[in-house]
Amino acid sequence: MFNSVKRIAFGLVALSLSAGAVAQNDRAMDLDALLKQLEEGQFAQSEQNKQRERDFIAQRAEQDQVLRDTRARRDQMLAQSEQLETQFEENEFKLADLNGALDTRLGSLKELFGVLQQIAGDTKNKFYNSVVSAQISGRSDFLDKMAQDMGSSSKLASIEEIERVWFEMQREMTESGKVTKFTTDVVEAGGQKVSKDVVRVGPFALVADGKYLEYNGVTGTVSELIRQPADRYNSSAAELQESTSGELVQFGIDPTGGSILGLLVQAPNLKERVEQGGVVGYIILIVGAFGLLLAIERLITLSLIRMKVNKQLKSKEVKTNNPLGRVLKVRDEHPNADVEALELHLTEAILGEVPKLGRNLTIIKIISVVAPLMGLLGTVTGMINTFQAITLFGTGDPKLMAGGISTALVTTVLGLVVAIPMTLLYAMLNTRSKNIVYILQEQASGVIAERAERS
């Protein structure tokens, strides 16, 4: 059994040795193949490099030829440049001689054409903003082209162009004295373009449908003013448009070419000024309206009482629908009272009538005092807002401070507008009330004197 085991062991060893030999043979074959592949690849790469070298040598010859051609062209261009420089210098001398000859021949005409160019430019700017251009278009284009041509080159104006400049200036002066009607497209305030009959008052104004228009020289369009001036100006514009030829109509014109009209349109109306007062301004107006209602009520009441008192003075019959009648009734109620007792009764009756006659007058007086104080409050508030705007944005833009200053001034004005009439109304009503009281006291004194005489 030991021999059999030994044989098996020897067999296994032999098997392992044979397997190792096979593996070594395979590895040797792989290395040879790899070496062969490397030799073949190196040979192929060497052939490619040689081919690239041959191509580069062939292209280098072409590049050398291109370089030689470029150098030849450069030399040719340098020679041409020198020739042109020489010709340019010669032309400059010739041009200077020709300009000198031209100046000599022009003489005083050169100054004339300079003045003509300046006049053409100034006239173009005038036509550009003139409302006459709304009816007669294309005038400024001709003048602009002529001024540019004369300023950019040595071109001189022809006699026809000079005459046309004179003609356009004369036509502008002639049209400045006319009131004409023509039809053109007008851009309304809502943005719609409508063809309308427009009346032009010289170079001063354009009106249509009772509204003022403006002419935009940039776009060459006529449009309605977004904000129209006061109604009295619009009514005169409507009368002008409806008037017949030769009829005189009062119409306001702007001799500055629209500057005054623009300022007039931008001026805030009464509603906008009140809105500038803010909350304080509205409170002042509410208090003023309340005081005015009280003053009207007192004025009517005291006027009626005075009428009844005057009737009572003329009548011997005592009526209780007026203060004097109620005071005189005390005399009839105490026929046997002595003078002192009657005096006390009459004084009591008069004192009972005084509060009725002076009712609400104290409130009116308080409003006349409080209104300017409220205006002062709005002034302080507006100045605070102004200083805050200055702190945040500086003083570079006056519009930022205008809001606060407007609030300050408007509230002061509103306070004075309320205080002044309230003071006058209080003085008038207080005087009327005291006059009635004086009548009562006078009649009471007469009653006491009469009773004293009887005693």
Side-chain angles (χ1 to χ4, degrees):
M1 181 175 182
F2 176 75
N3 293 329
S4 61
V5 172
K6 187 176 181 180
R7 285 194 297 272
I8 292 172
F10 279 115
L12 292 173
V13 171
L15 182 60
S16 61
L17 291 174
S18 61
V22 173
Q24 289 180 356
N25 291 331
D26 292 338
R27 186 178 300 173
M29 292 178 63
D30 293 338
L31 291 176
D32 294 338
L34 179 61
L35 181 60
K36 185 176 181 181
Q37 290 178 359
L38 290 175
E39 291 178 352
E40 292 177 355
Q42 188 176 10
F43 178 76
Q45 186 175 7
S46 177
E47 291 294 329
Q48 291 178 359
N49 291 335
K50 292 179 180 180
Q51 182 63 33
R52 289 175 181 174
E53 290 177 356
R54 289 192 295 269
D55 295 339
F56 177 77
I57 293 171
Q59 292 178 359
R60 186 176 63 180
E62 296 177 0
Q63 294 294 330
D64 292 340
Q65 182 62 34
V66 172
L67 179 60
R68 287 191 296 270
D69 295 341
T70 304
R71 288 177 177 174
R73 186 178 179 183
R74 181 198 62 186
D75 296 338
Q76 182 181 359
M77 296 299 291
L78 288 175
Q80 186 178 1
S81 175
E82 293 177 356
Q83 182 181 359
L84 293 176
E85 288 179 358
T86 303
Q87 185 177 358
F88 177 77
E89 292 176 356
E90 294 176 355
N91 290 335
E92 279 190 338
F93 288 118
K94 292 180 181 179
L95 185 60
D97 295 338
L98 292 175
N99 287 330
L102 179 62
D103 294 338
T104 303
R105 291 184 179 181
L106 284 176
S108 59
L109 288 178
K110 183 177 181 181
E111 183 178 357
L112 171 64
F113 288 123
V115 173
L116 178 64
Q117 181 182 358
Q118 181 180 359
I119 292 176
D122 296 339
T123 307
K124 181 245 324 182
N125 294 330
K126 181 176 178 59
F127 289 172
Y128 190 74
N129 298 317
S130 176
V131 297
V132 180
S133 299
Q135 182 181 3
I136 306 173
S137 60
R139 302 182 302 165
S140 58
D141 297 337
F142 158 72
L143 295 173
D144 188 19
K145 184 177 183 303
M146 188 182 73
Q148 289 181 358
D149 291 342
M150 294 181 64
S152 60
S153 63
S154 58
K155 180 181 178 181
L156 300 178
S158 61
I159 296 178
E160 290 78 8
E161 291 175 340
I162 296 175
E163 291 178 348
R164 184 173 178 183
V165 172
W166 169 83
F167 172 76
E168 295 295 346
M169 295 176 65
Q170 181 63 39
R171 183 163 63 170
E172 176 71 14
M173 290 187 288
T174 303
E175 294 294 331
S176 299
K178 293 182 179 180
V179 178
T180 59
K181 181 181 293 185
F182 62 97
T183 302
T184 186
D185 293 334
V186 178
V187 180
E188 296 181 343
Q192 299 178 351
K193 183 178 287 188
V194 182
S195 179
K196 294 184 178 181
D197 292 333
V198 178
V199 176
R200 177 180 59 79
V201 182
F204 306 110
L206 293 172
V207 295
D209 296 339
K211 297 181 179 180
Y212 281 81
L213 310 177
E214 63 177 351
Y215 174 71
N216 190 342
V218 178
T219 58
T221 58
V222 179
S223 59
E224 290 183 1
L225 291 175
I226 298 177
R227 290 185 56 179
Q228 295 291 325
D231 293 336
R232 60 193 181 97
Y233 297 107
N234 290 337
S235 61
S236 64
E239 292 177 2
L240 176 65
Q241 194 168 9
E242 294 174 358
S243 63
T244 58
S245 178
E247 182 180 357
L248 295 179
V249 178
Q250 291 185 353
F251 180 76
I253 61 175
D254 182 6
T256 61
S259 300
I260 296 178
L261 181 60
L263 296 175
L264 185 64
V265 169
Q266 292 178 2
N269 52 28
L270 180 60
K271 180 181 178 182
E272 293 173 343
R273 288 193 181 279
V274 172
E275 291 176 351
Q276 289 177 353
V279 178
V280 179
Y282 285 115
I283 295 175
I284 294 174
L285 291 178
I286 292 173
V287 172
F290 177 69
L292 182 61
L293 292 177
L294 292 179
I296 293 173
E297 185 271 333
R298 282 289 85 197
L299 180 62
I300 296 173
T301 302
L302 292 176
S303 298
L304 295 175
I305 293 174
R306 182 59 185 270
M307 293 173 60
K308 293 178 180 179
V309 169
N310 291 335
K311 289 182 181 180
Q312 183 63 52
L313 289 173
K314 298 177 182 179
S315 176
K316 295 182 178 180
E317 182 183 358
V318 177
K319 298 181 180 180
T320 59
N321 62 346
N322 62 89
L324 180 58
R326 289 189 290 270
V327 171
L328 295 177
K329 186 179 180 181
V330 175
R331 177 193 62 183
D332 298 336
E333 292 177 351
H334 303 84
N336 298 322
D338 55 7
V339 176
E340 294 180 356
L342 182 60
E343 182 180 359
L344 293 175
H345 287 300
L346 291 174
T347 303
E348 180 183 3
I350 293 173
L351 292 176
E353 296 294 335
V354 169
K356 298 178 183 178
L357 296 174
R359 186 179 60 187
N360 295 331
L361 293 182
T362 305
I363 298 177
I364 296 174
K365 184 178 181 180
I366 292 174
I367 291 175
S368 66
V369 175
V370 171
L373 296 178
M374 296 178 67
L376 179 61
L377 174 62
T379 300
V380 175
T381 304
M383 296 308 297
I384 290 174
N385 295 332
T386 301
F387 289 128
Q388 288 178 350
I390 293 174
T391 303
L392 294 175
F393 305 103
T395 59
D397 190 359
K399 293 182 180 180
L400 297 175
M401 299 181 290
I405 296 175
S406 298
T407 303
L409 298 179
V410 167
T411 52
T412 303
V413 171
L414 291 177
L416 295 176
V417 166
V418 172
I420 292 173
M422 286 295 105
T423 303
L424 296 176
L425 288 173
Y426 169 76
M428 181 181 65
L429 296 174
N430 189 40
T431 301
R432 290 197 176 193
S433 175
K434 288 183 177 181
N435 288 335
I436 297 174
V437 174
Y438 292 155
I439 293 174
L440 298 180
Q441 292 176 350
E442 179 186 4
Q443 294 300 317
S445 299
V447 171
I448 294 172
E450 183 182 357
R451 182 65 57 88
E453 289 177 355
R454 289 182 183 179
S455 300

